[in-house]
Amino acid sequence: MLALAASGGSRRWSQATSFTLWLGFTLMIGLRDQVGGDWFNYLPYFDRQVGQPFSFVFQSDEVGYAIANWLAAHLDWGIYGTNTICAAIFSAGLVAFCRRQPLPWLAVTLAFPYLIMVVAMGYTRQWVAIGLEMLALLALERGRVVIYIVWLTIAATFHKTALVMLLLPAITLSGSFRFVNLLRLGFLLGAGWGLFNSLLSDSVETLQSGYLDAGYQSQGALIRVALCLLPALVFLLLRNRFPLTKQQRSIWTVMSLLALAAVAGLVLSPSSTAVDRVSLYLIPLQLFVGSRLPDLRPFSLSPSGWNQLIILLGFAVLSVWLLFAKTAFAWLPYRNLLLPF
């Protein structure tokens, strides 16, 4: 994977390659054993579904994750079954998103150090939501707003914060007041209001007291926001040089501006954890910009030179995290049910 990414690799994946990557990531993430900072925090979610009828899942705040636990419990797969179901969903979104980038091997290599190793092996419910968000972004790039909303709705059944991304299609609407755009905006507002009432309204007070009022702080929030800020600045500075459709340019401009807003949020918000959780949905920006930057040849550096530089930067981030993050011990050593040690 590294060799293909460094050299530019194939510009198009076959279905066999996509399936192999999907299966590999699913097994690596899903069958990990006691790896991740929240490993033990998720066990009660699973225990809650043991011996319960299927109707019990609808008593959960996040029904999608409850269904994954219910299936794993009734198939006697344990928490590993839950994680594998969730990993399969996340990996499908990740592979589909990377496959659509001009340098897919570079995109998936960029995803590996942080999105896969840290996020996907730590925050189960939210990384499923991020995988579904990537499918939603692919739909929105093609102008399929209804499909975008469907994917985000499913994502919100794993982690309700995914609903914040409903703002994206509304902001990226064309500035004209044509009837079709007004109709589209009305549909988005109606869908957003309906989803808020059905999925989020009962949890607003809990989220406020659990994050904002409590003033929770995340040690790595600044680093995670900075990792999104860098590609955002690159995109905004070189925006006109990216070969994109009008819809793509609009979407990723807004995503970049949201990354700038996240920096302001760290300063103004009483809880860096709240900003941190929302900014995780900006991680696809890293893959989108990073996989296009070599072809732009900034500073007259060759594409292969940029490929190698970007890969080194990504793995420098992983190395710093493993060496200095206070919670890194929860990821070390990596254990998997398929490994003999």
Side-chain angles (χ1 to χ4, degrees), residues 102 179 231:
F179 176 74

Side-chain angles (χ1 to χ4, degrees), residues 42 45-46 49 54-73 81-87 89-90 124-129 132 150-160 198-199:
Y42 283 114
Y45 288 89
F46 174 81
Q49 300 299 329
F54 181 72
S55 58
F56 184 72
V57 302
F58 297 103
Q59 297 183 29
S60 171
D61 284 342
E62 276 132 353
V63 176
Y65 188 61
I67 291 174
N69 279 297
W70 185 90
L71 284 171
T82 303
N83 289 341
T84 301
I85 293 169
C86 291
I89 298 171
F90 165 78
T124 304
R125 291 178 299 143
Q126 193 158 13
W127 52 256
V128 179
L132 292 165
V150 169
W151 283 126
L152 276 191
T153 301
I154 299 172
T157 67
F158 285 88
H159 207 283
K160 293 180 179 181
S198 60
L199 296 175

Side-chain angles (χ1 to χ4, degrees), residues 59-323:
Q59 297 183 29
S60 171
D61 284 342
E62 276 132 353
V63 176
Y65 188 61
I67 291 174
N69 279 297
W70 185 90
L71 284 171
H74 283 72
L75 293 171
D76 200 26
W77 289 350
I79 190 63
Y80 305 100
T82 303
N83 289 341
T84 301
I85 293 169
C86 291
I89 298 171
F90 165 78
S91 299
L94 174 65
V95 171
F97 186 84
C98 291
R99 188 183 185 189
R100 285 278 299 277
Q101 306 314 309
L103 295 173
W105 285 110
L106 183 59
V108 78
T109 302
L110 277 172
F112 190 83
Y114 205 85
L115 178 57
I116 294 174
M117 293 298 293
V118 181
V119 178
M121 294 193 190
Y123 322 122
T124 304
R125 291 178 299 143
Q126 193 158 13
W127 52 256
V128 179
I130 293 171
L132 292 165
E133 176 214 5
M134 288 191 280
L135 292 175
L137 288 170
L138 292 179
L140 188 60
E141 284 186 341
R142 297 178 177 180
R144 298 174 179 175
V145 178
V146 175
I147 303 300
Y148 177 86
I149 293 174
V150 169
W151 283 126
L152 276 191
T153 301
I154 299 172
T157 67
F158 285 88
H159 207 283
K160 293 180 179 181
T161 54
L163 289 180
V164 72
M165 296 305 294
L166 280 176
L167 295 171
L168 188 59
I171 297 173
T172 57
L173 281 174
S174 170
S176 69
F177 288 94
R178 292 183 303 170
F179 176 74
V180 66
N181 280 337
L182 294 175
L183 189 64
R184 190 179 176 195
L185 181 59
F187 172 74
L188 285 169
L189 292 174
W193 179 252
L195 290 171
F196 174 83
N197 281 329
S198 60
L199 296 175
L200 195 58
S201 59
D202 293 339
S203 303
V204 169
E205 187 174 339
T206 302
L207 292 171
Q208 180 178 344
S209 61
Y211 285 103
L212 300 179
D213 294 346
Y216 287 156
Q217 304 298 319
S218 292
Q219 179 207 4
L222 179 60
I223 299 298
R224 282 185 281 273
V225 169
L227 288 175
C228 294
L229 177 63
L230 182 59
L233 291 174
V234 169
F235 181 80
L236 292 174
L237 289 172
L238 303 176
R239 190 167 71 112
N240 293 330
R241 293 178 58 184
F242 283 81
L244 304 173
T245 65
K246 182 179 179 180
Q247 179 74 355
Q248 285 179 314
R249 197 178 308 279
S250 180
I251 291 168
W252 295 101
T253 297
V254 173
M255 290 283 281
S256 298
L257 293 174
L258 290 175
L260 297 180
V263 177
L266 285 181
V267 177
L268 301 175
S269 174
S271 170
S272 66
T273 301
V275 178
D276 186 28
R277 288 292 180 265
V278 173
S279 66
L280 288 176
Y281 294 107
L282 302 177
I283 289 180
L285 185 63
Q286 301 172 20
L287 315 186
F288 183 88
V289 175
S291 65
R292 284 167 170 76
L293 189 59
D295 287 339
L296 300 184
R297 303 190 180 199
F299 307 111
S300 301
L301 187 63
S302 68
S304 62
W306 272 110
N307 289 338
Q308 296 165 23
L309 185 61
I310 291 170
I311 292 169
L312 286 174
L313 178 61
F315 280 88
V317 169
L318 178 61
S319 299
V320 169
W321 182 84
L322 288 172
L323 291 172

